[in-house]
Amino acid sequence: MPNSSVKDEKMYQELRKQGDSKEKAARISNAAASRGRGKVGAKGGKSGSYDDWKVGDLRKRAAELDIGGRSKMSKDELVKALRDH
């Protein structure tokens, strides 16, 4: 069933099939619909890998995104939670 808040339903469904979270898929598909797929694709890939971050920095980012249970997560768990968000 289409979600009225998603502006590019086809892209949203493709992202969900790839394993992206609902929030991430909606964020990407809406950005692509408003700015164009080329601009959204060109924007990605510029930040460093979460694997290079310190645990404290990962927890701070997880707090910004309101990821629950972050204080007890290992570095690998934090990286996975941030990537899946």
Side-chain angles (χ1 to χ4, degrees), residues 2-57:
N3 184 337
S4 62
S5 65
V6 174
K7 296 179 179 39
D8 187 336
E9 185 68 29
K10 182 178 177 185
M11 178 180 263
Y12 173 83
Q13 293 300 331
E14 290 171 6
L15 292 167
R16 290 291 291 145
K17 285 179 186 175
Q18 292 176 12
D20 290 326
S21 69
K22 291 178 182 180
E23 183 177 294
K24 182 176 181 180
R27 196 170 50 239
I28 293 169
S29 62
N30 287 345
S34 66
R35 292 189 304 253
R37 289 182 181 212
K39 288 185 179 181
V40 172
K43 181 181 175 190
K46 293 182 182 176
S47 66
S49 171
Y50 283 135
D51 294 319
D52 298 333
W53 291 31
K54 294 180 180 177
V55 173
D57 295 329

Side-chain angles (χ1 to χ4, degrees), residues 24 27 46-65 67 74-85:
K24 182 176 181 180
R27 196 170 50 239
K46 293 182 182 176
S47 66
S49 171
Y50 283 135
D51 294 319
D52 298 333
W53 291 31
K54 294 180 180 177
V55 173
D57 295 329
L58 292 167
R59 284 201 176 107
K60 183 178 178 183
R61 181 64 180 144
E64 291 170 358
L65 298 173
I67 295 174
S74 68
K75 181 174 181 173
D76 289 338
E77 290 169 328
L78 285 163
V79 169
K80 182 175 180 350
L82 289 165
R83 286 182 177 153
D84 291 345
H85 178 71

